[in-house]
Amino acid sequence: MENGTMPSYFYFTLFKEFVHMKYLILIFILAVYLAIILFNAIILFVVFKERSLHEPMYILISCLSVNDLYGSAGFFPRIMVDLLSDTNTISRPACYVQIFTIYSYAISEYTILTLMAYDRYVAICNPLKYHKIMTSKVTALYMAIASLHAAFSMGLIILFSARLPLCGTDIARLYCSNWSVVRLSCGTSTLSNNIIGFFVSATTVFLPAFFILYTYVRILVICQKSSKEFRGKALQTCLPHIISFLNYSIASFCDIALSRYDSDKYKIVAIIFSVEFLVIPPVLNPLIYGLNLPEIRKNILCLFQRSKIANFPE
């Protein structure tokens, strides 16, 4: 503690490099954020309005949209404020709140994708027992456990990070990340932080990824033994999830791989990859499910048709 302090503020150093085009970036970010809100709000409205969609698969899709809105709220409003700010500072408590929000979103995203994979596994591999296994109460229980797990994991990480004495205030990212704060520590060992970080990564990223891969191996085995019509229906319901899983896995891997790597030569690439998991999945997920799943697509089209009729002058 004697070699470090507990600073009241952190300073984002990257924003000074975009000062000449900050308004152009601001317009782009605002457009993306509004698109995220609109796309996910449509999915939520359609799922909760239509009783035929009150099934575990669609409920989990709506949970994914809620989580995307939650994660986006932790990133987009703050970055728009920082683009307009001259100081680019963030208070210590606000920094930890942003860390909690962004990374609890990341944990929950993987957990929801895991539950969606399990839902498809039960529906395809045990169709006769599906309605007994995947009830609304069971789905709600799974989501409650997933939310508590994300909150507990991030609470533990922040608890270990907040106690570290720091020798600097500069964060070379567009938002507060746990490692960007931990690396500022001095005068004490960060071994416990690394152990906790590895444990959380193993239980929230790697284990779910292996489980998802396992479920799809089993699904492929079942599909190979089934009719062509059955394979087509299975692919139709699984394809959006596979795309979402691959999209989010690549984005998460880029953030994890580059979070502890500094390079002035590839700074722009590093910046893009560091925010990809916060931008791409929330935009693509509602489009993937809205366009690929017939029931959701049909209800969205009906929604817009009713809107046109209501607004058409008599």
Side-chain angles (χ1 to χ4, degrees), residues 127-160:
L128 298 179
K129 297 181 179 180
Y130 176 76
H131 292 289
K132 291 183 178 180
I133 297 174
M134 293 300 295
T135 64
S136 298
K137 290 184 179 179
V138 169
T139 305
L141 177 62
Y142 286 157
M143 285 308 307
I145 294 173
S147 300
L148 289 174
H149 173 63
F152 174 78
S153 297
M154 284 313 304
L156 194 63
I157 286 176
I158 290 175
L159 178 65
F160 276 78

PDB file of all heavy atoms in Angstrom, residues 127-160:
ATOM      1  N   PRO A 127     -37.244 -35.506 -28.097  1.00  0.00           N
ATOM      2  CA  PRO A 127     -38.444 -34.708 -28.392  1.00  0.00           C
ATOM      3  C   PRO A 127     -39.667 -35.088 -27.563  1.00  0.00           C
ATOM      4  O   PRO A 127     -40.482 -34.223 -27.233  1.00  0.00           O
ATOM      5  CB  PRO A 127     -38.680 -34.971 -29.887  1.00  0.00           C
ATOM      6  CG  PRO A 127     -37.971 -36.257 -30.171  1.00  0.00           C
ATOM      7  CD  PRO A 127     -36.786 -36.268 -29.262  1.00  0.00           C
ATOM      8  N   LEU A 128     -39.808 -36.361 -27.200  1.00  0.00           N
ATOM      9  CA  LEU A 128     -40.970 -36.806 -26.433  1.00  0.00           C
ATOM     10  C   LEU A 128     -40.936 -36.298 -24.995  1.00  0.00           C
ATOM     11  O   LEU A 128     -41.984 -36.173 -24.346  1.00  0.00           O
ATOM     12  CB  LEU A 128     -41.064 -38.337 -26.453  1.00  0.00           C
ATOM     13  CG  LEU A 128     -41.251 -38.972 -27.838  1.00  0.00           C
ATOM     14  CD1 LEU A 128     -41.304 -40.498 -27.714  1.00  0.00           C
ATOM     15  CD2 LEU A 128     -42.528 -38.464 -28.511  1.00  0.00           C
ATOM     16  N   LYS A 129     -39.750 -36.019 -24.486  1.00  0.00           N
ATOM     17  CA  LYS A 129     -39.613 -35.545 -23.106  1.00  0.00           C
ATOM     18  C   LYS A 129     -39.385 -34.033 -23.028  1.00  0.00           C
ATOM     19  O   LYS A 129     -39.211 -33.488 -21.933  1.00  0.00           O
ATOM     20  CB  LYS A 129     -38.439 -36.251 -22.422  1.00  0.00           C
ATOM     21  CG  LYS A 129     -38.604 -37.751 -22.298  1.00  0.00           C
ATOM     22  CD  LYS A 129     -37.398 -38.356 -21.581  1.00  0.00           C
ATOM     23  CE  LYS A 129     -37.555 -39.869 -21.436  1.00  0.00           C
ATOM     24  NZ  LYS A 129     -36.376 -40.454 -20.748  1.00  0.00           N
ATOM     25  N   TYR A 130     -39.403 -33.370 -24.184  1.00  0.00           N
ATOM     26  CA  TYR A 130     -39.044 -31.948 -24.219  1.00  0.00           C
ATOM     27  C   TYR A 130     -39.924 -31.099 -23.305  1.00  0.00           C
ATOM     28  O   TYR A 130     -39.422 -30.302 -22.505  1.00  0.00           O
ATOM     29  CB  TYR A 130     -39.127 -31.428 -25.658  1.00  0.00           C
ATOM     30  CG  TYR A 130     -38.863 -29.943 -25.782  1.00  0.00           C
ATOM     31  CD1 TYR A 130     -37.564 -29.443 -25.691  1.00  0.00           C
ATOM     32  CD2 TYR A 130     -39.912 -29.039 -25.962  1.00  0.00           C
ATOM     33  CE1 TYR A 130     -37.311 -28.084 -25.791  1.00  0.00           C
ATOM     34  CE2 TYR A 130     -39.669 -27.679 -26.064  1.00  0.00           C
ATOM     35  CZ  TYR A 130     -38.376 -27.204 -25.982  1.00  0.00           C
ATOM     36  OH  TYR A 130     -38.133 -25.854 -26.069  1.00  0.00           O
ATOM     37  N   HIS A 131     -41.244 -31.269 -23.408  1.00  0.00           N
ATOM     38  CA  HIS A 131     -42.151 -30.415 -22.643  1.00  0.00           C
ATOM     39  C   HIS A 131     -42.134 -30.736 -21.156  1.00  0.00           C
ATOM     40  O   HIS A 131     -42.573 -29.915 -20.340  1.00  0.00           O
ATOM     41  CB  HIS A 131     -43.572 -30.535 -23.196  1.00  0.00           C
ATOM     42  CG  HIS A 131     -43.725 -29.952 -24.565  1.00  0.00           C
ATOM     43  ND1 HIS A 131     -43.685 -28.598 -24.802  1.00  0.00           N
ATOM     44  CD2 HIS A 131     -43.890 -30.548 -25.780  1.00  0.00           C
ATOM     45  CE1 HIS A 131     -43.833 -28.367 -26.102  1.00  0.00           C
ATOM     46  NE2 HIS A 131     -43.959 -29.520 -26.715  1.00  0.00           N
ATOM     47  N   LYS A 132     -41.633 -31.912 -20.789  1.00  0.00           N
ATOM     48  CA  LYS A 132     -41.480 -32.233 -19.370  1.00  0.00           C
ATOM     49  C   LYS A 132     -40.174 -31.682 -18.810  1.00  0.00           C
ATOM     50  O   LYS A 132     -40.097 -31.303 -17.648  1.00  0.00           O
ATOM     51  CB  LYS A 132     -41.518 -33.753 -19.171  1.00  0.00           C
ATOM     52  CG  LYS A 132     -42.884 -34.374 -19.432  1.00  0.00           C
ATOM     53  CD  LYS A 132     -42.849 -35.870 -19.141  1.00  0.00           C
ATOM     54  CE  LYS A 132     -44.226 -36.484 -19.353  1.00  0.00           C
ATOM     55  NZ  LYS A 132     -44.225 -37.941 -19.076  1.00  0.00           N
ATOM     56  N   ILE A 133     -39.149 -31.657 -19.663  1.00  0.00           N
ATOM     57  CA  ILE A 133     -37.825 -31.186 -19.208  1.00  0.00           C
ATOM     58  C   ILE A 133     -37.727 -29.668 -19.266  1.00  0.00           C
ATOM     59  O   ILE A 133     -37.306 -29.016 -18.308  1.00  0.00           O
ATOM     60  CB  ILE A 133     -36.710 -31.829 -20.063  1.00  0.00           C
ATOM     61  CG1 ILE A 133     -36.708 -33.349 -19.885  1.00  0.00           C
ATOM     62  CG2 ILE A 133     -35.343 -31.255 -19.691  1.00  0.00           C
ATOM     63  CD1 ILE A 133     -35.732 -34.080 -20.787  1.00  0.00           C
ATOM     64  N   MET A 134     -38.136 -29.082 -20.400  1.00  0.00           N
ATOM     65  CA  MET A 134     -38.005 -27.631 -20.597  1.00  0.00           C
ATOM     66  C   MET A 134     -39.343 -26.950 -20.371  1.00  0.00           C
ATOM     67  O   MET A 134     -40.025 -26.527 -21.308  1.00  0.00           O
ATOM     68  CB  MET A 134     -37.474 -27.341 -22.005  1.00  0.00           C
ATOM     69  CG  MET A 134     -36.055 -27.798 -22.246  1.00  0.00           C
ATOM     70  SD  MET A 134     -34.840 -27.028 -21.149  1.00  0.00           S
ATOM     71  CE  MET A 134     -34.944 -25.324 -21.647  1.00  0.00           C
ATOM     72  N   THR A 135     -39.723 -26.820 -19.119  1.00  0.00           N
ATOM     73  CA  THR A 135     -40.939 -26.087 -18.775  1.00  0.00           C
ATOM     74  C   THR A 135     -40.599 -24.613 -18.563  1.00  0.00           C
ATOM     75  O   THR A 135     -39.427 -24.234 -18.459  1.00  0.00           O
ATOM     76  CB  THR A 135     -41.569 -26.650 -17.499  1.00  0.00           C
ATOM     77  OG1 THR A 135     -40.664 -26.447 -16.400  1.00  0.00           O
ATOM     78  CG2 THR A 135     -41.859 -28.143 -17.646  1.00  0.00           C
ATOM     79  N   SER A 136     -41.628 -23.789 -18.466  1.00  0.00           N
ATOM     80  CA  SER A 136     -41.409 -22.357 -18.236  1.00  0.00           C
ATOM     81  C   SER A 136     -40.738 -22.102 -16.892  1.00  0.00           C
ATOM     82  O   SER A 136     -39.866 -21.239 -16.767  1.00  0.00           O
ATOM     83  CB  SER A 136     -42.747 -21.608 -18.293  1.00  0.00           C
ATOM     84  OG  SER A 136     -43.335 -21.735 -19.568  1.00  0.00           O
ATOM     85  N   LYS A 137     -41.135 -22.875 -15.867  1.00  0.00           N
ATOM     86  CA  LYS A 137     -40.534 -22.719 -14.545  1.00  0.00           C
ATOM     87  C   LYS A 137     -39.066 -23.111 -14.548  1.00  0.00           C
ATOM     88  O   LYS A 137     -38.233 -22.446 -13.927  1.00  0.00           O
ATOM     89  CB  LYS A 137     -41.306 -23.562 -13.519  1.00  0.00           C
ATOM     90  CG  LYS A 137     -42.694 -23.040 -13.208  1.00  0.00           C
ATOM     91  CD  LYS A 137     -43.356 -23.858 -12.121  1.00  0.00           C
ATOM     92  CE  LYS A 137     -44.741 -23.308 -11.783  1.00  0.00           C
ATOM     93  NZ  LYS A 137     -45.415 -24.109 -10.722  1.00  0.00           N
ATOM     94  N   VAL A 138     -38.756 -24.195 -15.234  1.00  0.00           N
ATOM     95  CA  VAL A 138     -37.360 -24.641 -15.324  1.00  0.00           C
ATOM     96  C   VAL A 138     -36.524 -23.611 -16.068  1.00  0.00           C
ATOM     97  O   VAL A 138     -35.401 -23.288 -15.659  1.00  0.00           O
ATOM     98  CB  VAL A 138     -37.275 -26.025 -16.014  1.00  0.00           C
ATOM     99  CG1 VAL A 138     -35.825 -26.370 -16.347  1.00  0.00           C
ATOM    100  CG2 VAL A 138     -37.882 -27.101 -15.132  1.00  0.00           C
ATOM    101  N   THR A 139     -37.062 -23.067 -17.155  1.00  0.00           N
ATOM    102  CA  THR A 139     -36.355 -22.040 -17.920  1.00  0.00           C
ATOM    103  C   THR A 139     -36.102 -20.809 -17.064  1.00  0.00           C
ATOM    104  O   THR A 139     -35.004 -20.237 -17.077  1.00  0.00           O
ATOM    105  CB  THR A 139     -37.159 -21.648 -19.172  1.00  0.00           C
ATOM    106  OG1 THR A 139     -37.446 -22.813 -19.948  1.00  0.00           O
ATOM    107  CG2 THR A 139     -36.382 -20.667 -20.020  1.00  0.00           C
ATOM    108  N   ALA A 140     -37.118 -20.382 -16.301  1.00  0.00           N
ATOM    109  CA  ALA A 140     -36.959 -19.222 -15.416  1.00  0.00           C
ATOM    110  C   ALA A 140     -35.922 -19.496 -14.332  1.00  0.00           C
ATOM    111  O   ALA A 140     -35.122 -18.613 -13.990  1.00  0.00           O
ATOM    112  CB  ALA A 140     -38.303 -18.875 -14.778  1.00  0.00           C
ATOM    113  N   LEU A 141     -35.905 -20.728 -13.810  1.00  0.00           N
ATOM    114  CA  LEU A 141     -34.921 -21.101 -12.788  1.00  0.00           C
ATOM    115  C   LEU A 141     -33.511 -21.056 -13.359  1.00  0.00           C
ATOM    116  O   LEU A 141     -32.585 -20.524 -12.720  1.00  0.00           O
ATOM    117  CB  LEU A 141     -35.226 -22.497 -12.254  1.00  0.00           C
ATOM    118  CG  LEU A 141     -34.235 -23.063 -11.220  1.00  0.00           C
ATOM    119  CD1 LEU A 141     -34.215 -22.192  -9.969  1.00  0.00           C
ATOM    120  CD2 LEU A 141     -34.584 -24.509 -10.879  1.00  0.00           C
ATOM    121  N   TYR A 142     -33.328 -21.599 -14.570  1.00  0.00           N
ATOM    122  CA  TYR A 142     -32.018 -21.568 -15.229  1.00  0.00           C
ATOM    123  C   TYR A 142     -31.537 -20.134 -15.417  1.00  0.00           C
ATOM    124  O   TYR A 142     -30.358 -19.816 -15.187  1.00  0.00           O
ATOM    125  CB  TYR A 142     -32.088 -22.272 -16.582  1.00  0.00           C
ATOM    126  CG  TYR A 142     -32.159 -23.780 -16.505  1.00  0.00           C
ATOM    127  CD1 TYR A 142     -32.693 -24.530 -17.555  1.00  0.00           C
ATOM    128  CD2 TYR A 142     -31.695 -24.462 -15.392  1.00  0.00           C
ATOM    129  CE1 TYR A 142     -32.764 -25.911 -17.497  1.00  0.00           C
ATOM    130  CE2 TYR A 142     -31.766 -25.840 -15.323  1.00  0.00           C
ATOM    131  CZ  TYR A 142     -32.300 -26.566 -16.380  1.00  0.00           C
ATOM    132  OH  TYR A 142     -32.367 -27.932 -16.318  1.00  0.00           O
ATOM    133  N   MET A 143     -32.441 -19.249 -15.846  1.00  0.00           N
ATOM    134  CA  MET A 143     -32.056 -17.861 -16.078  1.00  0.00           C
ATOM    135  C   MET A 143     -31.713 -17.152 -14.771  1.00  0.00           C
ATOM    136  O   MET A 143     -30.793 -16.329 -14.729  1.00  0.00           O
ATOM    137  CB  MET A 143     -33.181 -17.118 -16.798  1.00  0.00           C
ATOM    138  CG  MET A 143     -33.313 -17.461 -18.279  1.00  0.00           C
ATOM    139  SD  MET A 143     -31.750 -17.288 -19.166  1.00  0.00           S
ATOM    140  CE  MET A 143     -31.274 -15.626 -18.733  1.00  0.00           C
ATOM    141  N   ALA A 144     -32.441 -17.475 -13.711  1.00  0.00           N
ATOM    142  CA  ALA A 144     -32.142 -16.879 -12.409  1.00  0.00           C
ATOM    143  C   ALA A 144     -30.760 -17.313 -11.926  1.00  0.00           C
ATOM    144  O   ALA A 144     -29.973 -16.489 -11.436  1.00  0.00           O
ATOM    145  CB  ALA A 144     -33.212 -17.276 -11.386  1.00  0.00           C
ATOM    146  N   ILE A 145     -30.454 -18.594 -12.077  1.00  0.00           N
ATOM    147  CA  ILE A 145     -29.139 -19.109 -11.684  1.00  0.00           C
ATOM    148  C   ILE A 145     -28.041 -18.468 -12.527  1.00  0.00           C
ATOM    149  O   ILE A 145     -26.979 -18.089 -12.010  1.00  0.00           O
ATOM    150  CB  ILE A 145     -29.099 -20.642 -11.819  1.00  0.00           C
ATOM    151  CG1 ILE A 145     -30.050 -21.291 -10.804  1.00  0.00           C
ATOM    152  CG2 ILE A 145     -27.677 -21.174 -11.614  1.00  0.00           C
ATOM    153  CD1 ILE A 145     -30.206 -22.786 -10.972  1.00  0.00           C
ATOM    154  N   ALA A 146     -28.305 -18.321 -13.825  1.00  0.00           N
ATOM    155  CA  ALA A 146     -27.324 -17.709 -14.724  1.00  0.00           C
ATOM    156  C   ALA A 146     -27.044 -16.260 -14.324  1.00  0.00           C
ATOM    157  O   ALA A 146     -25.886 -15.816 -14.310  1.00  0.00           O
ATOM    158  CB  ALA A 146     -27.837 -17.770 -16.167  1.00  0.00           C
ATOM    159  N   SER A 147     -28.091 -15.508 -13.983  1.00  0.00           N
ATOM    160  CA  SER A 147     -27.921 -14.109 -13.579  1.00  0.00           C
ATOM    161  C   SER A 147     -27.142 -13.998 -12.276  1.00  0.00           C
ATOM    162  O   SER A 147     -26.251 -13.148 -12.139  1.00  0.00           O
ATOM    163  CB  SER A 147     -29.291 -13.441 -13.426  1.00  0.00           C
ATOM    164  OG  SER A 147     -30.004 -13.467 -14.649  1.00  0.00           O
ATOM    165  N   LEU A 148     -27.462 -14.870 -11.316  1.00  0.00           N
ATOM    166  CA  LEU A 148     -26.756 -14.863 -10.035  1.00  0.00           C
ATOM    167  C   LEU A 148     -25.295 -15.251 -10.216  1.00  0.00           C
ATOM    168  O   LEU A 148     -24.405 -14.682  -9.567  1.00  0.00           O
ATOM    169  CB  LEU A 148     -27.442 -15.817  -9.052  1.00  0.00           C
ATOM    170  CG  LEU A 148     -28.811 -15.374  -8.528  1.00  0.00           C
ATOM    171  CD1 LEU A 148     -29.441 -16.479  -7.689  1.00  0.00           C
ATOM    172  CD2 LEU A 148     -28.678 -14.094  -7.702  1.00  0.00           C
ATOM    173  N   HIS A 149     -25.047 -16.194 -11.111  1.00  0.00           N
ATOM    174  CA  HIS A 149     -23.667 -16.624 -11.379  1.00  0.00           C
ATOM    175  C   HIS A 149     -22.853 -15.483 -11.976  1.00  0.00           C
ATOM    176  O   HIS A 149     -21.707 -15.242 -11.560  1.00  0.00           O
ATOM    177  CB  HIS A 149     -23.673 -17.816 -12.334  1.00  0.00           C
ATOM    178  CG  HIS A 149     -22.310 -18.219 -12.808  1.00  0.00           C
ATOM    179  ND1 HIS A 149     -21.335 -18.683 -11.954  1.00  0.00           N
ATOM    180  CD2 HIS A 149     -21.748 -18.210 -14.043  1.00  0.00           C
ATOM    181  CE1 HIS A 149     -20.236 -18.952 -12.634  1.00  0.00           C
ATOM    182  NE2 HIS A 149     -20.463 -18.665 -13.897  1.00  0.00           N
ATOM    183  N   ALA A 150     -23.438 -14.752 -12.928  1.00  0.00           N
ATOM    184  CA  ALA A 150     -22.740 -13.618 -13.546  1.00  0.00           C
ATOM    185  C   ALA A 150     -22.462 -12.532 -12.523  1.00  0.00           C
ATOM    186  O   ALA A 150     -21.359 -11.969 -12.466  1.00  0.00           O
ATOM    187  CB  ALA A 150     -23.572 -13.067 -14.707  1.00  0.00           C
ATOM    188  N   ALA A 151     -23.466 -12.219 -11.680  1.00  0.00           N
ATOM    189  CA  ALA A 151     -23.297 -11.176 -10.667  1.00  0.00           C
ATOM    190  C   ALA A 151     -22.249 -11.581  -9.636  1.00  0.00           C
ATOM    191  O   ALA A 151     -21.407 -10.762  -9.236  1.00  0.00           O
ATOM    192  CB  ALA A 151     -24.636 -10.897  -9.984  1.00  0.00           C
ATOM    193  N   PHE A 152     -22.290 -12.837  -9.202  1.00  0.00           N
ATOM    194  CA  PHE A 152     -21.320 -13.316  -8.199  1.00  0.00           C
ATOM    195  C   PHE A 152     -19.903 -13.310  -8.763  1.00  0.00           C
ATOM    196  O   PHE A 152     -18.959 -12.873  -8.091  1.00  0.00           O
ATOM    197  CB  PHE A 152     -21.695 -14.721  -7.739  1.00  0.00           C
ATOM    198  CG  PHE A 152     -20.682 -15.350  -6.826  1.00  0.00           C
ATOM    199  CD1 PHE A 152     -20.611 -14.990  -5.484  1.00  0.00           C
ATOM    200  CD2 PHE A 152     -19.782 -16.289  -7.312  1.00  0.00           C
ATOM    201  CE1 PHE A 152     -19.668 -15.564  -4.640  1.00  0.00           C
ATOM    202  CE2 PHE A 152     -18.835 -16.869  -6.472  1.00  0.00           C
ATOM    203  CZ  PHE A 152     -18.776 -16.506  -5.135  1.00  0.00           C
ATOM    204  N   SER A 153     -19.744 -13.780  -9.996  1.00  0.00           N
ATOM    205  CA  SER A 153     -18.414 -13.860 -10.617  1.00  0.00           C
ATOM    206  C   SER A 153     -17.801 -12.474 -10.750  1.00  0.00           C
ATOM    207  O   SER A 153     -16.636 -12.257 -10.396  1.00  0.00           O
ATOM    208  CB  SER A 153     -18.516 -14.529 -11.997  1.00  0.00           C
ATOM    209  OG  SER A 153     -18.979 -15.855 -11.885  1.00  0.00           O
ATOM    210  N   MET A 154     -18.586 -11.508 -11.252  1.00  0.00           N
ATOM    211  CA  MET A 154     -18.050 -10.162 -11.425  1.00  0.00           C
ATOM    212  C   MET A 154     -17.856  -9.454 -10.088  1.00  0.00           C
ATOM    213  O   MET A 154     -16.923  -8.673  -9.920  1.00  0.00           O
ATOM    214  CB  MET A 154     -18.965  -9.341 -12.324  1.00  0.00           C
ATOM    215  CG  MET A 154     -18.835  -9.687 -13.795  1.00  0.00           C
ATOM    216  SD  MET A 154     -17.118  -9.802 -14.354  1.00  0.00           S
ATOM    217  CE  MET A 154     -16.466  -8.204 -13.900  1.00  0.00           C
ATOM    218  N   GLY A 155     -18.729  -9.734  -9.136  1.00  0.00           N
ATOM    219  CA  GLY A 155     -18.545  -9.162  -7.805  1.00  0.00           C
ATOM    220  C   GLY A 155     -17.247  -9.629  -7.178  1.00  0.00           C
ATOM    221  O   GLY A 155     -16.523  -8.838  -6.544  1.00  0.00           O
ATOM    222  N   LEU A 156     -16.918 -10.900  -7.378  1.00  0.00           N
ATOM    223  CA  LEU A 156     -15.671 -11.462  -6.845  1.00  0.00           C
ATOM    224  C   LEU A 156     -14.456 -10.830  -7.514  1.00  0.00           C
ATOM    225  O   LEU A 156     -13.476 -10.463  -6.847  1.00  0.00           O
ATOM    226  CB  LEU A 156     -15.669 -12.980  -7.063  1.00  0.00           C
ATOM    227  CG  LEU A 156     -14.626 -13.801  -6.311  1.00  0.00           C
ATOM    228  CD1 LEU A 156     -14.833 -13.681  -4.807  1.00  0.00           C
ATOM    229  CD2 LEU A 156     -14.711 -15.270  -6.737  1.00  0.00           C
ATOM    230  N   ILE A 157     -14.520 -10.679  -8.829  1.00  0.00           N
ATOM    231  CA  ILE A 157     -13.408 -10.081  -9.571  1.00  0.00           C
ATOM    232  C   ILE A 157     -13.181  -8.632  -9.135  1.00  0.00           C
ATOM    233  O   ILE A 157     -12.040  -8.208  -8.892  1.00  0.00           O
ATOM    234  CB  ILE A 157     -13.683 -10.153 -11.089  1.00  0.00           C
ATOM    235  CG1 ILE A 157     -13.505 -11.595 -11.577  1.00  0.00           C
ATOM    236  CG2 ILE A 157     -12.754  -9.217 -11.861  1.00  0.00           C
ATOM    237  CD1 ILE A 157     -13.833 -11.791 -13.038  1.00  0.00           C
ATOM    238  N   ILE A 158     -14.242  -7.858  -9.026  1.00  0.00           N
ATOM    239  CA  ILE A 158     -14.120  -6.450  -8.636  1.00  0.00           C
ATOM    240  C   ILE A 158     -13.635  -6.321  -7.192  1.00  0.00           C
ATOM    241  O   ILE A 158     -12.847  -5.422  -6.864  1.00  0.00           O
ATOM    242  CB  ILE A 158     -15.459  -5.726  -8.842  1.00  0.00           C
ATOM    243  CG1 ILE A 158     -15.735  -5.591 -10.341  1.00  0.00           C
ATOM    244  CG2 ILE A 158     -15.454  -4.342  -8.184  1.00  0.00           C
ATOM    245  CD1 ILE A 158     -17.074  -4.998 -10.680  1.00  0.00           C
ATOM    246  N   LEU A 159     -14.071  -7.235  -6.332  1.00  0.00           N
ATOM    247  CA  LEU A 159     -13.617  -7.217  -4.938  1.00  0.00           C
ATOM    248  C   LEU A 159     -12.101  -7.354  -4.856  1.00  0.00           C
ATOM    249  O   LEU A 159     -11.442  -6.631  -4.094  1.00  0.00           O
ATOM    250  CB  LEU A 159     -14.298  -8.341  -4.158  1.00  0.00           C
ATOM    251  CG  LEU A 159     -13.889  -8.493  -2.686  1.00  0.00           C
ATOM    252  CD1 LEU A 159     -14.324  -7.265  -1.895  1.00  0.00           C
ATOM    253  CD2 LEU A 159     -14.496  -9.760  -2.098  1.00  0.00           C
ATOM    254  N   PHE A 160     -11.535  -8.244  -5.652  1.00  0.00           N
ATOM    255  CA  PHE A 160     -10.087  -8.440  -5.642  1.00  0.00           C
ATOM    256  C   PHE A 160      -9.355  -7.302  -6.355  1.00  0.00           C
ATOM    257  O   PHE A 160      -8.221  -6.971  -5.989  1.00  0.00           O
ATOM    258  CB  PHE A 160      -9.735  -9.784  -6.303  1.00  0.00           C
ATOM    259  CG  PHE A 160      -9.832 -10.959  -5.379  1.00  0.00           C
ATOM    260  CD1 PHE A 160     -11.061 -11.518  -5.059  1.00  0.00           C
ATOM    261  CD2 PHE A 160      -8.692 -11.506  -4.800  1.00  0.00           C
ATOM    262  CE1 PHE A 160     -11.151 -12.600  -4.197  1.00  0.00           C
ATOM    263  CE2 PHE A 160      -8.767 -12.580  -3.940  1.00  0.00           C
ATOM    264  CZ  PHE A 160     -10.008 -13.124  -3.627  1.00  0.00           C
TER     265      PHE A 160
END
